[in-house]
């Protein structure tokens, strides 16, 4: 059974092609990494799949149901949640209120394992603190936990480790494992190659809006065209 | 036929006035992202400054118009630099600030000059025969000055470094700043340029129409209308829409009377805002 | 974690209690001036609450006069057909604008920020022009005069005292509705105000709450128009000019947008000041302008927010 299937998805802004003809499957319980140089269209891919921006062509299918261009709230209510690259919380209210809103707006009740996640990530003891006053890393982790608090079946993570300290990145590993233990599949867009190698059995490589490679990291990252795409970025 | 020509000429001369107002308004929105609720206030202020110079100080009218332009531009510059600049990225806050300024301006003028209309006449009168119709000379003079001002504005915006800087800021503030343009310097200038245009229009037009503390409200409404029709932030759109609005108003008042023309325009604007916020010309504009 | 829903909090309770004091004013005074000021306050509070509901979702609305006109003219036209029952006309004054707001909301709520402000301004201009263009229904530029007073349980609300108490009742009713709505959906409105994109991606159906707010705000504005017409016994286009939206926005912003007490204290303070400084309020607009600048530049919480801040600071200092 396939949970999420993306078929020939394309996105343009006016004359600017962001990505074209992207296809992949994310099976139930699966874990998929998406890498690519800056400007490869990774964040826009998440935006289009999650209904934040309309697709130009192609389809997004969730459990056999076409959800292309459904509004973001509808996609979320069907069980496909996403996190944001920048810290994204309700900044003026407490940690507890942030989590309460995520649970309430998600309308499927709190997922199993949420309480232990909050305790272990150090959020439970700070539940009365205002989100904006937390250290940056913890704000970012709060944003991740909020996306999980909606009880998704599929979670799209947009650079979860960006801006985190080295020791905080362990929390992202732990977060992804716990989300999968709760039965959800995960797609991670990430620049931290170590993290991708540690976590993902399979990765997609996006370059200049096209799907360059799809396979296990050891195999894919050894391919000359993939190396060239990354070297190109470093040279620029 | 004579009636038709008469309406067309009135429409064109209204259009030229609206264009001056709308160009300033859209300049401010395009460059600063600010909706200037005080635009009608600057128009009024321009009229009263020119009136005071002529009636109280005995200054010749052309010089009085220049003083009015300088005064409104200076006030715009100071207001932008010291107040608006602090909150320039907060749309609702800047809107409230300009609204506050408008209330202060219009009330200040009311307190100073009283509620009655001023005895303020254009120095030239009489009519010129153009084919079958007579056209008041003052309308032709105002039309000529407005058109000259529009051309001058075009030259400033498209042929000088200042204009290139302003347009770059309107296109993409982040990119323009990365290229070394300084909004702190250019924003007050853009605002002053726009308010100076409103002051010029006020000084030119109030002697023909009317000068009283209430004249700012309809000016603001017309500026809204024109700028939305033309596409918020678009200069060419604003200029074209201004002439369209002027002509529609002139023909409707000649052939239908009452406020049906205004009603049609406002409903058109409502539909445009909802379905095509980029205006009739469809140029992409900055998000709000 | 906490997920308690309550219909009423302290600010809502204080607002209702304060407004209810209006019922007892006639026991102490018969001053026409005091009655007139209080009526202005009641009408202003209701209209400001209509602005405030939308401001809870970061939408600044200039449409209040449009919906006030709908409510006011509904009552005036009902009076022509001798429909004066207080419950019927109150329901009509709320429901007619609210129903009109349903399709309008579907159109204008697609817009955000500056564009929403502009479209609501245009809406008020359109309603004003429509009144002029439909003289057979609305009396055109003459308006509808001689509107019969409403009847409550068989009594005409005709004396100064009765009009005052009736306006007071409308203000209390509007506060209960506004307070109930914004308290019940506090989390939703606050989430939309602060981060609409995040709220939507968590699954909140944002348009539903915006539409609900818009419709209720229209109904509340209708009640304000009703109160205005029942005080003047006239429905006149000048009472609903687009420019008066500025007054209600000033009341809300200066009072403070964070709590329902904001529009209440803002209206009370500004209406009082207007009557204090000039017999015909000729300084009022300039005063509003100066206060708006002060609030935007140095005291974003308005009266209520600033008093709250000072109170907390005093309490902190004592510890």
């Amino acid at each position: 059974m396939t949970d999420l299937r993306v078929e020939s998805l394309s996105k343009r802004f006016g004359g600017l092609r962001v990505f074209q003809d992207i296809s992949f499957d994310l099976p139930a319980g699966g874990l998929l990494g998406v890498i690519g140089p800056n400007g490869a269209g990774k964040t826009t891919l998440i935006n289009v799949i999650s209904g934040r921006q309309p697709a130009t062509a192609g389809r997004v299918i969730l459990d056999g149901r076409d959800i292309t261009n459904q509004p973001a709230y509808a996609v979320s209510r069907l069980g496909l949640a996403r996190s944001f690259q920048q810290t994204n919380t309700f900044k003026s209210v407490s940690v507890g209120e942030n989590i309460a809103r995520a649970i309430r707006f998600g309308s499927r009740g709190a997922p199993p394992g949420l309480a232990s996640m909050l305790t272990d990530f150090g959020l439970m003891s700070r539940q009365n603190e205002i989100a904006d006053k937390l250290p940056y890393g913890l704000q970012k982790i709060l944003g991740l936990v909020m996306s999980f608090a909606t009880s998704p079946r599929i979670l799209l993570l947009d650079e979860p480790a960006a801006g985190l300290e080295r020791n905080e990145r362990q929390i992202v590993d732990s977060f992804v494992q716990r989300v999968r233990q709760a039965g959800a599949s995960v797609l991670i867009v990430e620049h931290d190659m170590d993290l991708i190698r540690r976590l993902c059995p399979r990765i997609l490589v996006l370059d200049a809006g096209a799907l360059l490679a799809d396979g296990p990291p050891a195999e894919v990252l050894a391919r000359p065209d993939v190396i060239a795409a990354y070297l190109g970025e470093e040279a620029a | 036929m004579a009636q038709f020509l008469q309406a067309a000429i009135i429409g064109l001369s209204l259009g030229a006035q609206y264009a001056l107002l709308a160009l300033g308004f859209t300049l401010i929105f395009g460059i600063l992202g600010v909706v200037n609720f005080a635009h009608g206030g600057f128009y009024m202020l321009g009229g009263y400054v020119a009136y005071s110079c002529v009636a109280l100080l005995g200054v010749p009218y052309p010089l009085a118009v220049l003083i009015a332009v300088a005064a409104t531009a200076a006030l715009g510059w100071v207001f932008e630099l010291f107040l608006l600049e602090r909150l320039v990225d907060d749309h609702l806050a800047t809107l409230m600030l300009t609204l506050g300024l408008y209330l202060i301006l219009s009330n200040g003028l009311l307190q100073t000059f009283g509620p009655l209309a001023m005895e303020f006449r254009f120095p030239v009168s009489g009519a010129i025969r153009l084919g079958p119709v007579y056209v008041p000379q003052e309308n032709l003079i105002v039309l000529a000055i407005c058109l000259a001002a529009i051309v001058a504005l075009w030259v400033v915006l498209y042929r000088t470094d200042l204009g290139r800087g302003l347009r770059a800021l309107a296109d993409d503030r982040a990119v323009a700043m990365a290229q070394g343009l300084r909004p702190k310097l250019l924003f007050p200038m853009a605002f002053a340029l726009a308010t100076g245009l409103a002051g010029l229009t006020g000084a030119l037009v109030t002697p023909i129409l009317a000068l009283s503390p209430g004249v700012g409200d309809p000016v603001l409404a017309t500026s809204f209308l024109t700028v939305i029709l033309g596409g918020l932030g678009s200069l060419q759109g604003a200029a074209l829409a201004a002439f369209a609005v002027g002509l529609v108003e002139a023909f409707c008042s000649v052939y239908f009377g009452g406020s049906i023309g205004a009603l049609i325009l406002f409903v058109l604007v409502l539909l445009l805002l909802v379905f095509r916020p980029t205006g009739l010309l469809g140029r992409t504009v900055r998000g709000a | 974690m906490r997920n308690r829903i309550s219909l009423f909090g302290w600010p809502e309770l204080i607002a209702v209690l304060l407004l209810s004091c209006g019922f007892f004013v006639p026991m102490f005074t018969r001053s026409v001036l005091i009655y007139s000021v209080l009526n202005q306050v009641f009408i202003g509070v209701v209209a400001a609450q209509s602005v405030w509901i939308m401001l809870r979702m970061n939408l600044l609305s200039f449409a209040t006069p449009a919906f006030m006109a709908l409510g006011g003219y509904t009552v005036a036209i009902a009076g022509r057909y001798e429909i004066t029952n207080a419950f019927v006309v109150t329901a009509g004054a709320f429901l007619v604008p609210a129903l009109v707001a349903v399709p309008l909301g579907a159109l204008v709520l697609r817009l955000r920020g500056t564009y929403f402000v502009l479209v609501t301004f245009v809406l008020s201009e359109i309603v004003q022009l429509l009144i002029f263009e439909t003289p057979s229904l609305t009396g055109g530029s003459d308006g509808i005069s001689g509107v019969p007073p409403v009847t409550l349980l068989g009594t005409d609300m005709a004396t100064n005292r009765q009009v005052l108490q009736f306006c007071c009742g409308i203000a209390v009713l509007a506060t209960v509705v506004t307070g109930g709505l914004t308290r019940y959906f506090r989390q939703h409105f606050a989430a939309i105000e602060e981060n609409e994109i995040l709220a939507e991606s968590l699954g909140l159906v944002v348009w539903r709450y915006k539409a609900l707010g818009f419709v209720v705000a229209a109904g509340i504005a209708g009640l304000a128009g009703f109160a205005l017409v029942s005080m003047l016994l006239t429905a006149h286009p000048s009472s609903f000019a687009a420019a008066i939206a500025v007054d209600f926005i000033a009341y809300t912003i200066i009072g403070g947008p964070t709590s329902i007490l904001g529009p209440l204290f803002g209206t009370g303070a500004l209406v009082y000041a207007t009557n204090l400084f000039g017999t015909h309020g000729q300084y009022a607009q300039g005063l509003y302008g100066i206060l708006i600048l002060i609030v935007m530049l140095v005291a974003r919480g308005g009266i209520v927010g600033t008093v709250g801040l000072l109170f907390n600071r005093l309490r902190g200092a004592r510890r």
Side-chain angles (χ1 to χ4, degrees):
Chain A
M1 187 183 93
T2 296
D3 245 341
L4 177 69
R5 173 187 290 164
V6 171
E7 286 178 358
S8 312
L9 202 62
S10 300
K11 175 66 185 173
R12 287 172 175 279
F13 287 119
L16 182 74
R17 192 189 78 176
V18 185
F19 56 77
Q20 189 144 24
D21 204 19
I22 304 280
S23 301
F24 63 88
D25 287 344
L26 178 58
L31 175 55
L32 182 63
V34 178
I35 62 168
N38 281 325
K42 303 185 300 290
T43 293
T44 313
L45 180 65
I46 286 191
N47 284 345
V48 171
I49 295 174
S50 65
R52 179 87 252 136
Q53 292 171 340
T56 311
R59 297 199 302 165
V60 180
I61 291 163
L62 183 66
D63 282 340
R65 179 171 168 178
D66 190 343
I67 60 159
T68 323
N69 297 342
Q70 293 273 325
Y73 63 83
V75 173
S76 168
R77 291 187 158 222
L78 287 169
L80 193 153
R82 58 88 51 97
S83 77
F84 293 87
Q85 193 172 345
Q86 264 76 37
T87 65
N88 223 325
T89 58
F90 298 109
K91 291 188 189 308
S92 69
V93 294
S94 68
V95 170
E97 174 74 13
N98 266 286
I99 299 290
R101 283 183 189 172
I103 296 171
R104 188 168 185 196
F105 299 164
S107 72
R108 277 186 302 273
L114 178 65
S116 67
M117 194 185 267
L118 288 167
T119 310
D120 295 349
F121 294 171
L123 288 166
M124 192 65 104
S125 57
R126 295 181 166 223
Q127 63 164 304
N128 291 322
E129 288 181 35
I130 301 298
D132 202 25
K133 304 275 188 250
L134 294 178
Y136 179 86
L138 215 46
Q139 288 187 37
K140 179 113 192 204
I141 287 159
L142 174 60
L144 291 179
V145 176
M146 284 167 71
S147 66
F148 173 63
T150 62
S151 298
R153 288 180 297 135
I154 300 173
L155 189 52
L156 315 181
L157 302 176
D158 192 359
E159 301 210 18
L164 292 188
E165 303 287 335
R166 192 156 289 280
N167 57 342
E168 289 170 326
R169 298 194 174 193
Q170 305 298 327
I171 298 184
V172 175
D173 291 48
S174 166
F175 174 74
V176 170
Q177 279 153 12
R178 287 161 188 248
V179 170
R180 295 190 66 205
Q181 275 162 21
S185 47
V186 178
L187 180 148
I188 312 179
V189 163
E190 185 52 69
H191 264 302
D192 181 343
M193 212 56 83
D194 289 338
L195 188 129
I196 290 283
R197 280 208 190 90
R198 275 201 307 272
L199 286 175
C200 304
R202 179 184 151 209
I203 59 173
L204 305 179
V205 183
L206 243 59
D207 182 34
L211 192 57
L212 192 64
D214 180 351
E219 183 186 304
V220 165
L221 293 175
R223 277 173 51 167
D225 53 346
V226 172
I227 294 170
Y230 271 88
L231 283 180
E233 188 196 22
E234 275 162 32
Chain B
M1 188 59 198
Q3 201 186 24
F4 182 86
L5 273 180
Q6 195 93 40
I9 289 167
I10 293 172
L12 281 180
S13 108
L14 275 178
Q17 299 160 19
Y18 293 165
L20 274 193
L21 290 166
L23 284 172
F25 192 92
T26 210
L27 206 60
I28 292 176
F29 186 84
I31 294 173
L32 284 83
V34 170
V35 171
N36 182 21
F37 267 75
H39 216 61
F42 284 101
Y43 167 91
M44 247 183 342
L45 185 66
Y48 275 102
V49 169
Y51 165 78
S52 304
C53 287
V54 171
L56 306 178
L57 304 174
V59 174
Y61 177 73
L63 188 58
V65 172
L66 289 180
I67 295 173
V69 173
T72 47
L75 180 66
W77 192 78
V78 168
F79 177 72
E80 207 299 324
L81 188 64
F82 293 106
L83 300 184
L84 215 51
E85 190 59 40
R86 299 167 173 221
L87 299 169
V88 79
D89 290 321
D90 180 341
H91 294 287
L92 286 189
T94 53
L95 193 153
M96 292 307 299
L97 285 179
T98 59
L99 185 61
L101 176 66
Y102 177 62
L103 294 177
I104 294 169
L105 270 179
S106 61
N107 197 247
L109 292 172
L110 173 70
Q111 299 298 331
T112 314
F113 293 95
L116 299 178
M118 294 290 114
E119 187 71 22
F120 189 25
R121 288 277 154 77
F122 208 76
V124 183
S125 59
I128 293 176
R129 204 186 141 139
L130 277 180
V133 291
Y134 287 92
V135 185
Q137 270 184 14
E138 64 244 45
N139 281 35
L140 286 179
I141 295 173
V142 168
L143 179 62
I145 298 177
C146 286
L147 291 176
I150 292 170
V151 171
L153 179 68
W154 186 85
V155 169
V156 167
L157 285 177
Y158 288 88
R159 289 287 178 271
T160 67
D161 284 341
L162 171 66
R164 272 186 280 276
L166 291 178
R167 285 187 296 122
L169 275 177
D171 280 346
D172 191 327
R173 197 182 296 177
V175 170
M177 283 167 72
Q179 288 171 346
L181 289 166
R182 300 222 302 261
K184 285 228 171 341
L185 217 64
L186 291 173
F187 280 181
M189 280 202 218
F191 205 83
L193 186 63
T195 55
L197 287 175
L200 171 67
T201 321
L204 286 175
V205 175
T206 51
I208 301 176
L209 296 177
L211 182 59
S212 68
V215 296
D217 284 355
V219 165
L220 181 67
T222 310
S223 300
F224 273 172
L225 209 98
T226 313
V227 167
I228 297 167
L229 277 176
L232 277 160
S234 155
L235 290 167
Q236 291 91 335
L240 280 179
F243 284 99
V245 169
L247 288 170
V248 168
E249 253 180 44
F251 279 105
C252 282
S253 71
V254 168
Y255 290 102
F256 301 112
S259 45
I260 195 84
L263 184 60
I264 291 169
L265 279 173
F266 271 110
V267 171
L268 182 65
V269 158
L270 177 84
L271 295 175
L272 256 184
L273 259 181
V274 170
F275 294 106
R276 202 176 160 85
T278 50
L280 284 176
L281 291 188
R283 177 179 171 270
T284 51
V285 290
R286 69 185 309 144
Chain C
M1 296 216 174
R2 236 166 1 105
N3 199 2
R4 197 162 46 91
I5 298 167
S6 58
L7 255 185
F8 249 62
W10 278 110
E12 288 77 12
L13 201 62
I14 294 170
V16 167
L17 287 177
L18 275 177
L19 284 168
S20 303
C21 293
F23 284 112
F24 307 106
V25 167
M27 292 163 68
F28 303 105
T29 178
R30 286 166 183 279
S31 154
V32 178
L33 178 67
I34 291 180
Y35 282 20
S36 147
V37 170
L38 278 177
N39 277 331
Q40 288 173 47
V41 170
F42 291 140
I43 295 162
V45 166
V46 179
Q49 282 175 353
S50 167
V51 173
W52 182 70
I53 291 174
M54 297 313 287
L55 211 53
R56 296 298 296 148
M57 290 178 282
N58 219 13
L59 292 167
L60 182 65
S61 172
F62 277 74
T64 313
F67 294 119
M68 279 177 77
L70 283 173
Y73 274 95
T74 298
V75 173
I77 292 166
R80 268 193 202 153
Y81 299 98
E82 287 166 12
I83 303 167
T84 57
N85 180 306
F87 297 108
V88 174
V89 289
T90 306
F94 185 90
L95 289 176
V96 170
L99 286 175
V100 171
V102 173
L104 270 181
L107 286 178
V108 304
L109 288 170
R110 297 151 53 120
L111 303 168
R112 280 194 288 173
T114 310
Y115 290 90
F116 180 81
V117 176
L118 293 176
V119 84
T120 53
F121 184 89
V122 169
L123 216 54
S124 281
E125 294 279 357
I126 289 177
V127 167
Q128 181 77 190
L129 292 168
L130 276 178
I131 294 173
F132 284 110
E133 290 298 322
T134 52
S136 56
L137 184 68
T138 62
S141 56
D142 298 330
I144 300 174
S145 51
V147 177
V150 293
T151 42
L152 184 62
L153 308 173
T155 320
D156 280 356
M157 298 282 116
T159 66
N160 282 343
R161 175 192 174 139
Q162 286 164 329
V163 168
L164 177 75
Q165 288 178 328
F166 190 74
C167 283
C168 180
I170 295 282
V172 170
L173 174 69
T175 308
V176 169
V177 173
T178 304
L181 175 83
T182 51
R183 174 60 58 169
Y184 189 80
F185 294 116
R186 191 170 43 101
Q187 280 186 325
H188 308 74
F189 286 8
I192 293 170
E193 183 196 8
E194 195 174 336
N195 196 335
E196 191 177 326
I197 290 173
L198 175 62
E200 191 160 29
S201 88
L202 290 172
L204 185 71
V205 189
V206 168
W207 69 263
R208 197 180 286 166
Y209 297 93
K210 283 189 174 176
L212 182 67
F214 191 67
V215 167
V216 174
I220 297 287
L223 290 181
F226 168 34
L228 185 60
V229 167
S230 65
M231 178 181 83
L232 302 172
L233 299 181
T234 302
H236 194 270
S238 64
S239 305
F240 307 110
I244 63 166
V246 174
D247 290 359
F248 309 131
I249 289 169
Y251 297 164
T252 311
I253 296 274
I254 294 167
T258 49
S259 135
I260 196 167
L261 292 173
L264 175 61
F265 288 148
T267 310
L270 290 187
V271 171
Y272 177 74
T274 303
N275 285 279
L276 192 71
F277 284 125
T279 42
H280 302 294
Q282 72 264 48
Y283 289 97
Q285 297 280 312
L287 176 74
Y288 295 178
I290 292 168
L291 288 176
I292 287 174
L293 291 192
I294 292 173
V295 165
M296 293 323 290
L297 290 167
V298 297
R300 286 299 277 273
I303 296 172
V304 170
T306 307
V307 168
L309 206 67
L310 291 178
F311 182 75
N312 280 341
R313 228 175 252 172
L314 278 178
R315 223 171 42 172
R318 218 184 296 152
R319 269 185 204 150

